[in-house]
Amino acid sequence: MNIAFRSDIGRIRLVNEDRAWAQHVNNGCAVAIVADGMGGHLAGEVASQLAVDTFRESLGGIELPTLSLEERRTLVRGAILQANEVVYDMASRNDQYHNMGTTVVAVLAGQDGGIIGHIGDSRVYIWSKGQLVQLTEDHTLVNELAKHGQISQEEAANHPRRNVLTRALGTDEQVEVDLIDFDWEHGDLLLLCSDGLSTMVADHDMSAILAGGDHDLDAKAERLVELALQAGGDDNITVVLLHHVGDTEQEG
């Protein structure tokens, strides 16, 4: 499995509140996470960094191939809930971090498939057999309105409150984690990203980059960030790519 990741502050924001981490664990398996922080002065970057650090520590030393599907689900859910506890505790004990939080989307990927843990509007897509499919569902106000037929998908994409989350990590003592199982095959790609990519770059443009056979994985990640910047770069942009191939050397 190959890995590449990139993060950019964008053209508008003064601070990059996105954080990401990805790493091989063993036997061609990998772990990855993207967190997009929110809050007052510096609080967003504190929340996202705490979430990534806690998740990484929780998964230290795992032997993924030996775990059952249910054990993998429990591991991902537990690591995210631990991150929620850490961020919430920090926010509760420090006035400057009051109500800080972060999105989180994390992947535990083996050769046969994996588990996604998800809170907020950062996303995971899979590119397989020439098609890009979004695997996660945004925890946003406009997505709820669209699901219930109150607004169209086009209206949702341009809604003035499209960034309002209905669920985030660290803002409440208890939080629900969405867990998603996925299967993938040799040649497939997983894309984890913050909304700085998904709100600025259309699915068909992302798909075209991932399909391109003339770029290595690093270059694909760079190109995705470039597209978001060219579209305006209104937010921080973070991209993690996992490529299901035989070579396990990291490219990013």
Side-chain angles (χ1 to χ4, degrees):
M1 194 180 306
N2 286 341
I3 300 172
F5 54 95
R6 291 290 180 273
S7 189
D8 193 281
I9 195 171
R11 300 193 184 280
I12 307 296
R13 300 296 179 90
L14 299 177
V15 176
N16 190 346
E17 296 184 321
D18 288 359
R19 293 293 185 271
W21 169 74
Q23 180 176 297
H24 296 104
V25 282
N26 44 52
N27 297 325
C29 304
V31 180
I33 182 172
V34 169
D36 178 358
M38 60 187 188
H41 179 62
L42 300 181
E45 62 178 301
V46 170
S48 58
Q49 188 68 60
L50 279 173
V52 169
D53 289 347
T54 305
F55 182 85
R56 183 176 62 219
E57 290 165 9
S58 296
L59 269 68
I62 61 167
E63 292 293 333
L64 185 57
T66 66
L67 299 179
S68 68
L69 176 62
E70 194 54 42
E71 287 172 330
R72 296 181 189 191
R73 291 170 62 89
T74 299
L75 188 65
V76 171
R77 182 176 182 273
I80 292 175
L81 290 179
Q82 178 66 25
N84 185 77
E85 183 178 323
V86 169
V87 174
Y88 180 78
D89 181 64
M90 176 70 79
S92 300
R93 291 188 291 106
N94 298 273
D95 289 344
Q96 71 267 37
Y97 299 145
H98 175 69
N99 210 35
M100 72 174 175
T102 183
T103 71
V104 63
V105 64
V107 170
L108 191 60
Q111 292 295 325
D112 52 346
I115 308 295
I116 299 165
H118 168 54
I119 301 171
D121 64 352
S122 294
R123 294 179 177 178
V124 175
Y125 297 84
I126 187 168
W127 186 85
S128 179
K129 299 179 176 64
Q131 292 193 325
L132 186 71
V133 177
Q134 183 180 333
L135 297 179
T136 53
E137 181 178 307
D138 294 347
H139 300 141
T140 59
L141 174 64
V142 296
N143 189 48
E144 288 297 317
L145 294 174
K147 279 168 57 180
H148 291 91
Q150 297 177 22
I151 60 175
S152 67
Q153 288 296 336
E154 183 178 352
E155 289 171 325
N158 299 289
H159 198 282
R161 302 189 69 193
R162 64 184 178 274
N163 293 325
V164 175
L165 299 178
T166 56
R167 201 189 310 176
L169 184 146
T171 56
D172 295 287
E173 189 172 3
Q174 304 293 329
V175 70
E176 181 184 355
V177 182
D178 281 5
L179 293 176
I180 303 158
D181 304 338
F182 70 91
D183 298 317
W184 66 340
E185 300 175 356
H186 185 86
D188 291 351
L189 276 163
L190 283 181
L191 162 63
L192 292 74
C193 66
S194 61
D195 66 339
L197 178 75
S198 57
T199 60
M200 303 302 294
V201 181
D203 286 7
H204 62 83
D205 290 324
M206 287 193 277
S207 185
I209 295 299
L210 298 178
D214 55 342
H215 299 301
D216 64 19
L217 203 62
D218 242 12
K220 291 180 193 292
E222 290 276 11
R223 185 65 183 132
L224 287 168
V225 171
E226 287 172 8
L227 285 181
L229 290 170
Q230 291 168 8
D234 292 351
D235 201 350
N236 309 143
I237 309 147
T238 299
V239 170
V240 175
L241 294 176
L242 303 179
H243 191 193
H244 192 322
V245 293
D247 183 7
T248 58
E249 287 193 11
Q250 183 168 328
E251 297 185 41

